[in-house]
Amino acid sequence: MRRMSFNNLFLTSMSVFLLITQPNIYAQVDTFEFDNDEQQGRFRQLSNELRCPMCQNTNLSGSTGGVAEDLRREIHRMILEGMSNEEIEQFMFERYGDFIFYRPRLRAETILLWFGPLLFLIIGGFIAYGIFRRANSVDRVTVDLDEEQEAKLNELVGK
Amino acid sequence: MPALFFIALGGLLWRGLYLDTRTLPSMLIDKQMPKFSLETIGGDIVTNEDLPEQIFLLNVWGSYCLPCLVEHPTFMRLSEEGEIPVVGINYKDRNDLAKGWLETNGNPFAYSIEDENGRFGIDLGVYGAPETYLVDSEGVIRYRHVSVLDETVWLEEFLPAIEELRLESN
């Protein structure tokens, strides 16, 4: 029983390791031809960094969706036509908006997305500061003891 | 104060759970329809010049698409009653299958633009059939609905949007 769970754990961690280190093992096999390795590298980079609009959380290279296939074909065409990565990203943005980027552009609409976490961190910082301050400023009360009480106290603390 | 903050944050996140993240906003709202010169599934060449010179619907469909069959009766009714012209885009389909589908189920479209490889769909920002665009008489896209357009969607989304367009142009 114990042995089995160890095996499961081992298999799971191996799979996770493979998933993390080999993001392209599930990439779709397209037979696009390029003039050189640089173009091919850019194709791989773009189709890894752009998100498939249909399938929520798969990049273009990993998606079997119809539209992802079409967009890969368009990227290939644009690379061969000599368009830069920026131009290709602009092409995608004009049609599919911020959603297409895993790393959205910094714009008025995306500013909360970029700096929201920082905002929450600052708010949390203020709250934590408030709590600690209140905890430290608990009123220290001084009480005068009469002789009898003083003797009792000394007895209690073993003086 | 912390309780208030908690409730506010909780409310925000609670709402987030029920937001629709599957429907992408169209980037083409208030933009001119992309230029095209394509064949219809009947083989005629159509361009932007051939679009209806009034408010019309542009419906992206395919014979493989089951939800298209669900919304089909609504488009049949709209076109039979002459409520609004409907132009089709036959998206990533095969010509013979598309024709067969229209024959079997009826043809509500003024014509269907053939977009076999999905290239025109990309210019429109289409990411899957069915999608329906509301286009005004100037050829400007004013609204997009992703997925099935049934009578409820027609009443609740399209009629008010059309009413607004009509008020605007008067």
Side-chain angles (χ1 to χ4, degrees), chain B residues 64-126:
Chain B
Y64 51 84
C65 150
L66 275 179
C68 298
L69 211 51
V70 176
E71 63 177 8
H72 188 258
T74 303
F75 287 112
M76 286 305 281
R77 183 186 70 74
L78 292 175
S79 94
E80 272 164 14
E81 292 176 6
E83 215 170 319
I84 191 166
V86 188
V87 172
I89 295 181
N90 184 229
Y91 179 67
K92 292 175 77 63
D93 205 353
R94 254 172 49 193
N95 188 280
D96 55 329
L97 294 178
K99 279 180 176 158
W101 194 85
L102 291 179
E103 234 162 76
T104 315
N105 303 303
N107 185 358
F109 306 111
Y111 50 84
S112 282
I113 301 166
E114 191 171 71
D115 186 24
E116 202 179 338
N117 58 11
R119 183 61 189 81
F120 186 46
I122 290 178
D123 282 344
L124 278 165
V126 169

Coordinates of all heavy atoms in Angstrom, one line a residue, chain B residues 64-126:
Chain B
Y64 N -21.4 21.7 -40.1 CA -20.9 20.8 -39.0 C -21.3 21.3 -37.7 O -21.1 20.7 -36.7 CB -19.3 20.8 -39.1 CG -18.8 22.2 -39.1 CD1 -18.6 22.9 -37.9 CD2 -18.5 22.9 -40.3 CE1 -18.2 24.2 -37.9 CE2 -18.1 24.2 -40.3 CZ -17.9 24.9 -39.1 OH -17.5 26.2 -39.1
C65 N -21.9 22.5 -37.6 CA -22.1 23.2 -36.4 C -23.5 23.0 -35.8 O -24.5 23.4 -36.4 CB -21.8 24.7 -36.6 SG -22.7 25.9 -35.6
L66 N -23.6 22.2 -34.7 CA -24.9 21.9 -34.1 C -25.6 23.1 -33.6 O -26.8 23.2 -33.8 CB -24.7 20.8 -33.1 CG -24.7 19.4 -33.6 CD1 -24.5 18.4 -32.5 CD2 -26.0 19.1 -34.4
P67 N -25.0 24.0 -32.9 CA -25.7 25.2 -32.4 C -26.3 26.0 -33.5 O -27.3 26.6 -33.3 CB -24.6 26.0 -31.7 CG -23.5 25.0 -31.3 CD -23.6 24.0 -32.4
C68 N -25.7 25.9 -34.7 CA -26.3 26.6 -35.9 C -27.7 26.1 -36.2 O -28.5 26.8 -36.6 CB -25.4 26.5 -37.1 SG -23.7 27.2 -36.8
L69 N -27.8 24.8 -36.0 CA -29.1 24.2 -36.3 C -30.1 24.6 -35.2 O -31.3 24.8 -35.5 CB -28.9 22.7 -36.2 CG -29.8 21.8 -37.1 CD1 -29.8 22.2 -38.5 CD2 -29.4 20.3 -36.9
V70 N -29.7 24.9 -34.0 CA -30.6 25.4 -32.9 C -31.1 26.8 -33.2 O -32.2 27.1 -33.0 CB -29.8 25.3 -31.6 CG1 -30.7 25.9 -30.5 CG2 -29.4 23.9 -31.2
E71 N -30.2 27.6 -33.8 CA -30.6 29.0 -34.0 C -31.3 29.2 -35.4 O -31.8 30.2 -35.7 CB -29.4 30.0 -33.9 CG -28.3 29.7 -34.9 CD -27.2 30.7 -34.8 OE1 -27.2 31.5 -33.8 OE2 -26.3 30.7 -35.6
H72 N -31.2 28.1 -36.2 CA -31.7 28.2 -37.6 C -33.1 28.7 -37.7 O -33.5 29.5 -38.5 CB -31.4 26.9 -38.3 CG -31.7 26.9 -39.7 ND1 -32.9 26.4 -40.2 CD2 -31.0 27.4 -40.7 CE1 -32.8 26.5 -41.5 NE2 -31.7 27.1 -41.9
P73 N -34.1 28.1 -36.9 CA -35.5 28.5 -37.0 C -35.7 30.0 -36.8 O -36.5 30.6 -37.4 CB -36.2 27.7 -35.9 CG -35.3 26.6 -35.6 CD -33.9 27.0 -35.9
T74 N -34.9 30.6 -35.9 CA -35.0 32.1 -35.7 C -34.6 32.8 -37.0 O -35.3 33.8 -37.4 CB -34.1 32.5 -34.5 OG1 -34.4 31.8 -33.4 CG2 -34.2 34.0 -34.2
F75 N -33.5 32.4 -37.6 CA -33.2 33.1 -38.8 C -34.2 32.9 -39.9 O -34.5 33.8 -40.7 CB -31.8 32.7 -39.3 CG -30.7 33.2 -38.4 CD1 -29.9 32.4 -37.6 CD2 -30.4 34.6 -38.4 CE1 -28.9 32.9 -36.8 CE2 -29.4 35.1 -37.6 CZ -28.7 34.2 -36.8
M76 N -34.8 31.7 -40.0 CA -35.8 31.4 -41.0 C -37.0 32.3 -40.7 O -37.5 32.9 -41.7 CB -36.3 29.9 -40.8 CG -35.3 28.9 -41.4 SD -34.8 29.2 -43.1 CE -36.2 28.5 -44.0
R77 N -37.4 32.5 -39.5 CA -38.5 33.4 -39.2 C -38.2 34.8 -39.6 O -39.0 35.5 -40.2 CB -38.9 33.3 -37.7 CG -40.1 34.1 -37.3 CD -40.4 34.1 -35.8 NE -39.4 34.9 -35.1 CZ -39.3 36.2 -35.1 NH1 -40.1 37.0 -35.8 NH2 -38.4 36.9 -34.4
L78 N -37.0 35.3 -39.2 CA -36.6 36.7 -39.5 C -36.6 36.9 -41.0 O -37.1 38.0 -41.4 CB -35.2 37.0 -38.9 CG -35.1 37.0 -37.4 CD1 -33.7 37.2 -36.9 CD2 -36.0 38.1 -36.8
S79 N -36.2 36.0 -41.7 CA -36.1 36.2 -43.2 C -37.5 36.1 -43.8 O -37.8 36.8 -44.7 CB -35.0 35.4 -43.8 OG -35.5 34.2 -44.3
E80 N -38.2 35.1 -43.3 CA -39.6 34.9 -43.9 C -40.5 36.0 -43.7 O -41.3 36.5 -44.5 CB -40.2 33.6 -43.4 CG -39.8 32.4 -44.2 CD -40.1 31.0 -43.5 OE1 -40.8 31.1 -42.5 OE2 -39.6 30.0 -44.0
E81 N -40.4 36.6 -42.4 CA -41.2 37.7 -42.1 C -40.7 39.0 -42.6 O -41.2 40.1 -42.3 CB -41.5 37.7 -40.6 CG -42.3 36.5 -40.1 CD -42.5 36.5 -38.6 OE1 -42.0 37.4 -37.9 OE2 -43.0 35.5 -38.1
G82 N -39.5 39.0 -43.2 CA -38.9 40.2 -43.8 C -38.5 41.2 -42.7 O -38.4 42.4 -42.9
E83 N -38.2 40.6 -41.5 CA -37.8 41.5 -40.4 C -36.5 42.2 -40.6 O -36.3 43.4 -40.3 CB -37.9 40.8 -39.1 CG -38.4 41.7 -38.0 CD -38.8 40.9 -36.7 OE1 -39.3 39.8 -36.8 OE2 -38.5 41.5 -35.6
I84 N -35.5 41.4 -41.1 CA -34.2 42.0 -41.3 C -33.5 41.0 -42.2 O -33.6 39.8 -42.2 CB -33.4 42.0 -39.9 CG1 -32.1 42.8 -40.0 CG2 -33.2 40.7 -39.3 CD1 -31.5 43.2 -38.7
P85 N -32.7 41.6 -43.2 CA -31.9 40.7 -44.1 C -30.8 40.0 -43.3 O -30.2 40.6 -42.4 CB -31.3 41.7 -45.1 CG -31.9 43.0 -44.8 CD -32.5 43.0 -43.5
V86 N -30.5 38.8 -43.7 CA -29.5 38.0 -43.1 C -28.5 37.6 -44.1 O -28.9 36.9 -45.1 CB -30.0 36.7 -42.3 CG1 -28.9 36.1 -41.6 CG2 -31.2 37.1 -41.4
V87 N -27.2 38.0 -44.0 CA -26.2 37.5 -44.9 C -25.4 36.4 -44.1 O -25.1 36.6 -42.9 CB -25.2 38.7 -45.2 CG1 -24.0 38.2 -46.0 CG2 -26.0 39.7 -46.1
G88 N -25.1 35.3 -44.8 CA -24.4 34.3 -44.1 C -22.9 34.3 -44.5 O -22.5 34.8 -45.5
I89 N -22.1 33.8 -43.5 CA -20.7 33.5 -43.8 C -20.6 32.0 -43.6 O -20.7 31.5 -42.4 CB -19.7 34.2 -43.0 CG1 -19.8 35.7 -43.3 CG2 -18.3 33.8 -43.2 CD1 -18.9 36.6 -42.4
N90 N -20.3 31.2 -44.6 CA -20.2 29.8 -44.5 C -18.7 29.5 -44.1 O -17.8 29.6 -44.9 CB -20.5 29.1 -45.8 CG -20.5 27.6 -45.6 OD1 -19.9 26.9 -46.5 ND2 -21.1 27.0 -44.6
Y91 N -18.5 29.3 -42.8 CA -17.2 29.4 -42.2 C -16.6 28.0 -42.1 O -17.1 27.1 -41.5 CB -17.3 30.0 -40.8 CG -16.1 30.1 -40.0 CD1 -15.1 31.0 -40.3 CD2 -15.9 29.4 -38.8 CE1 -13.9 31.1 -39.6 CE2 -14.8 29.5 -38.0 CZ -13.8 30.4 -38.4 OH -12.7 30.5 -37.6
K92 N -15.4 27.8 -42.8 CA -14.6 26.6 -42.7 C -15.5 25.4 -43.0 O -15.5 24.4 -42.2 CB -13.9 26.5 -41.4 CG -12.8 27.5 -41.1 CD -12.2 27.5 -39.8 CE -11.2 26.3 -39.6 NZ -10.1 26.4 -40.5
D93 N -16.2 25.4 -44.1 CA -17.1 24.3 -44.4 C -16.7 23.8 -45.8 O -15.8 24.3 -46.5 CB -18.5 24.9 -44.4 CG -19.5 23.8 -44.2 OD1 -19.1 22.6 -44.1 OD2 -20.7 24.1 -44.0
R94 N -17.4 22.7 -46.2 CA -17.2 22.2 -47.6 C -18.4 22.6 -48.4 O -19.5 22.5 -47.9 CB -17.0 20.7 -47.6 CG -15.6 20.2 -47.8 CD -15.5 18.8 -47.6 NE -16.5 18.0 -48.3 CZ -16.8 16.7 -48.1 NH1 -16.1 16.1 -47.2 NH2 -17.8 16.1 -48.8
N95 N -18.2 23.1 -49.6 CA -19.2 23.6 -50.4 C -20.4 22.7 -50.6 O -21.6 23.1 -50.4 CB -18.7 24.0 -51.8 CG -19.7 24.7 -52.6 OD1 -20.5 24.1 -53.2 ND2 -19.6 26.1 -52.7
D96 N -20.1 21.4 -50.9 CA -21.3 20.5 -51.1 C -22.0 20.2 -49.8 O -23.3 20.2 -49.8 CB -20.7 19.2 -51.7 CG -19.6 18.5 -50.8 OD1 -18.9 19.3 -50.1 OD2 -19.6 17.3 -50.8
L97 N -21.3 20.2 -48.7 CA -22.0 20.0 -47.4 C -22.9 21.2 -47.0 O -24.0 21.1 -46.5 CB -21.0 19.7 -46.3 CG -20.2 18.4 -46.4 CD1 -19.2 18.3 -45.3 CD2 -21.1 17.2 -46.4
A98 N -22.3 22.4 -47.3 CA -23.1 23.6 -47.0 C -24.3 23.7 -47.8 O -25.4 24.0 -47.3 CB -22.2 24.8 -47.3
K99 N -24.2 23.4 -49.1 CA -25.4 23.4 -50.0 C -26.4 22.4 -49.5 O -27.6 22.7 -49.4 CB -25.0 23.1 -51.4 CG -24.4 24.3 -52.2 CD -24.1 23.9 -53.6 CE -23.6 25.1 -54.4 NZ -22.8 24.7 -55.5
G100 N -26.0 21.2 -49.2 CA -26.9 20.2 -48.7 C -27.6 20.6 -47.4 O -28.8 20.3 -47.2
W101 N -26.9 21.2 -46.5 CA -27.4 21.7 -45.2 C -28.6 22.7 -45.5 O -29.6 22.6 -44.9 CB -26.3 22.3 -44.4 CG -26.6 22.6 -43.0 CD1 -26.5 21.7 -42.0 CD2 -27.1 23.8 -42.4 NE1 -26.9 22.3 -40.8 CE2 -27.2 23.6 -41.0 CE3 -27.4 25.1 -42.9 CZ2 -27.7 24.5 -40.1 CZ3 -27.8 26.0 -42.0 CH2 -28.0 25.8 -40.6
L102 N -28.3 23.6 -46.4 CA -29.4 24.6 -46.7 C -30.6 24.0 -47.4 O -31.7 24.4 -47.1 CB -28.8 25.7 -47.6 CG -27.7 26.6 -47.0 CD1 -27.3 27.7 -48.0 CD2 -28.3 27.4 -45.8
E103 N -30.3 23.0 -48.2 CA -31.4 22.3 -48.9 C -32.3 21.5 -47.9 O -33.5 21.6 -47.9 CB -30.8 21.3 -49.9 CG -31.4 21.4 -51.3 CD -30.5 20.7 -52.3 OE1 -30.6 19.5 -52.4 OE2 -29.7 21.4 -53.0
T104 N -31.6 20.9 -46.9 CA -32.4 20.1 -45.9 C -33.1 21.0 -45.0 O -34.3 20.8 -44.6 CB -31.4 19.2 -45.1 OG1 -30.5 18.6 -46.0 CG2 -32.1 18.2 -44.3
N105 N -32.4 22.1 -44.5 CA -33.0 22.8 -43.4 C -33.7 24.1 -43.8 O -34.4 24.8 -43.0 CB -31.9 23.2 -42.4 CG -31.3 21.9 -41.8 OD1 -31.9 21.1 -41.3 ND2 -29.9 21.8 -42.0
G106 N -33.5 24.5 -45.1 CA -34.0 25.8 -45.5 C -32.9 26.9 -45.5 O -32.0 26.8 -44.8
N107 N -33.1 27.9 -46.4 CA -32.1 28.9 -46.6 C -32.6 30.3 -46.2 O -33.3 30.9 -46.9 CB -31.6 28.9 -48.0 CG -30.4 29.9 -48.2 OD1 -30.0 30.6 -47.3 ND2 -29.9 29.9 -49.4
P108 N -32.2 30.8 -45.0 CA -32.7 32.1 -44.5 C -31.8 33.2 -45.0 O -32.1 34.4 -44.8 CB -32.5 32.0 -43.0 CG -31.4 31.0 -42.8 CD -31.3 30.1 -44.0
F109 N -30.7 32.9 -45.8 CA -29.7 33.9 -46.1 C -29.9 34.5 -47.5 O -30.3 33.9 -48.4 CB -28.3 33.3 -46.1 CG -28.0 32.6 -44.8 CD1 -27.8 31.2 -44.8 CD2 -27.8 33.3 -43.6 CE1 -27.5 30.5 -43.6 CE2 -27.5 32.7 -42.4 CZ -27.4 31.3 -42.4
A110 N -29.7 35.9 -47.5 CA -29.7 36.6 -48.8 C -28.7 35.9 -49.7 O -29.0 35.6 -50.9 CB -29.4 38.0 -48.6
Y111 N -27.5 35.6 -49.2 CA -26.5 34.8 -49.8 C -25.5 34.4 -48.7 O -25.5 35.1 -47.6 CB -25.8 35.6 -50.9 CG -25.3 36.9 -50.6 CD1 -24.1 37.1 -50.0 CD2 -26.1 38.1 -50.9 CE1 -23.6 38.4 -49.6 CE2 -25.6 39.3 -50.6 CZ -24.4 39.5 -49.9 OH -24.0 40.7 -49.6
S112 N -24.7 33.4 -49.0 CA -23.7 33.0 -48.0 C -22.3 33.1 -48.6 O -22.0 32.5 -49.6 CB -24.0 31.5 -47.6 OG -25.0 31.4 -46.7
I113 N -21.5 33.9 -47.9 CA -20.2 34.1 -48.4 C -19.3 32.9 -48.0 O -19.4 32.4 -46.9 CB -19.5 35.4 -47.7 CG1 -20.4 36.6 -48.1 CG2 -18.1 35.6 -48.1 CD1 -20.1 37.8 -47.2
E114 N -18.6 32.4 -49.0 CA -17.8 31.2 -48.7 C -16.5 31.5 -48.1 O -15.7 32.3 -48.7 CB -17.6 30.4 -50.0 CG -17.1 29.0 -49.8 CD -17.1 28.2 -51.1 OE1 -16.3 28.5 -52.0 OE2 -18.0 27.3 -51.2
D115 N -16.2 31.0 -46.9 CA -14.9 31.3 -46.3 C -14.3 29.9 -45.9 O -14.3 29.5 -44.7 CB -15.2 32.2 -45.0 CG -13.8 32.6 -44.4 OD1 -12.8 32.6 -45.1 OD2 -13.8 32.9 -43.2
E116 N -13.9 29.2 -46.9 CA -13.5 27.8 -46.7 C -12.3 27.7 -45.8 O -12.3 26.8 -45.0 CB -13.2 27.2 -48.1 CG -13.3 25.7 -48.0 CD -13.1 25.0 -49.4 OE1 -13.2 25.7 -50.4 OE2 -12.7 23.9 -49.4
N117 N -11.3 28.6 -45.9 CA -10.1 28.4 -45.1 C -10.1 29.3 -43.8 O -9.2 29.4 -43.1 CB -8.9 28.6 -45.9 CG -8.8 30.0 -46.5 OD1 -9.6 30.9 -46.2 ND2 -7.9 30.2 -47.4
G118 N -11.3 30.0 -43.6 CA -11.4 30.8 -42.4 C -10.6 32.1 -42.4 O -10.5 32.8 -41.4
R119 N -10.1 32.5 -43.6 CA -9.3 33.8 -43.7 C -10.1 35.0 -43.5 O -9.7 35.9 -42.8 CB -8.6 33.8 -45.1 CG -7.7 35.0 -45.3 CD -6.6 35.0 -44.2 NE -5.8 36.2 -44.2 CZ -6.2 37.3 -43.6 NH1 -7.3 37.3 -42.9 NH2 -5.4 38.4 -43.6
F120 N -11.3 35.0 -44.0 CA -12.2 36.2 -43.8 C -12.7 36.2 -42.4 O -12.8 37.3 -41.8 CB -13.4 36.1 -44.8 CG -14.3 37.4 -44.7 CD1 -13.7 38.6 -44.8 CD2 -15.7 37.3 -44.7 CE1 -14.5 39.8 -44.7 CE2 -16.5 38.4 -44.6 CZ -15.9 39.7 -44.6
G121 N -12.9 35.1 -41.8 CA -13.3 35.0 -40.4 C -12.2 35.6 -39.5 O -12.5 36.3 -38.5
I122 N -10.9 35.5 -39.8 CA -9.9 36.1 -39.0 C -10.0 37.6 -39.0 O -9.9 38.2 -38.0 CB -8.5 35.6 -39.5 CG1 -8.3 34.1 -39.2 CG2 -7.4 36.4 -38.9 CD1 -7.0 33.5 -39.7
D123 N -10.3 38.1 -40.2 CA -10.4 39.6 -40.3 C -11.6 40.1 -39.5 O -11.6 41.2 -39.0 CB -10.6 40.0 -41.8 CG -9.2 40.0 -42.5 OD1 -8.2 40.0 -41.8 OD2 -9.3 40.0 -43.8
L124 N -12.6 39.3 -39.3 CA -13.7 39.7 -38.5 C -13.5 39.4 -37.0 O -14.3 39.8 -36.2 CB -15.0 38.9 -38.9 CG -15.7 39.5 -40.2 CD1 -16.7 38.4 -40.7 CD2 -16.5 40.7 -39.8
G125 N -12.4 38.6 -36.7 CA -12.2 38.2 -35.3 C -13.1 37.1 -34.9 O -13.4 36.9 -33.7
V126 N -13.5 36.3 -35.9 CA -14.4 35.1 -35.6 C -13.5 34.0 -34.9 O -12.4 33.8 -35.3 CB -15.0 34.5 -36.9 CG1 -15.6 33.2 -36.6 CG2 -16.0 35.5 -37.5

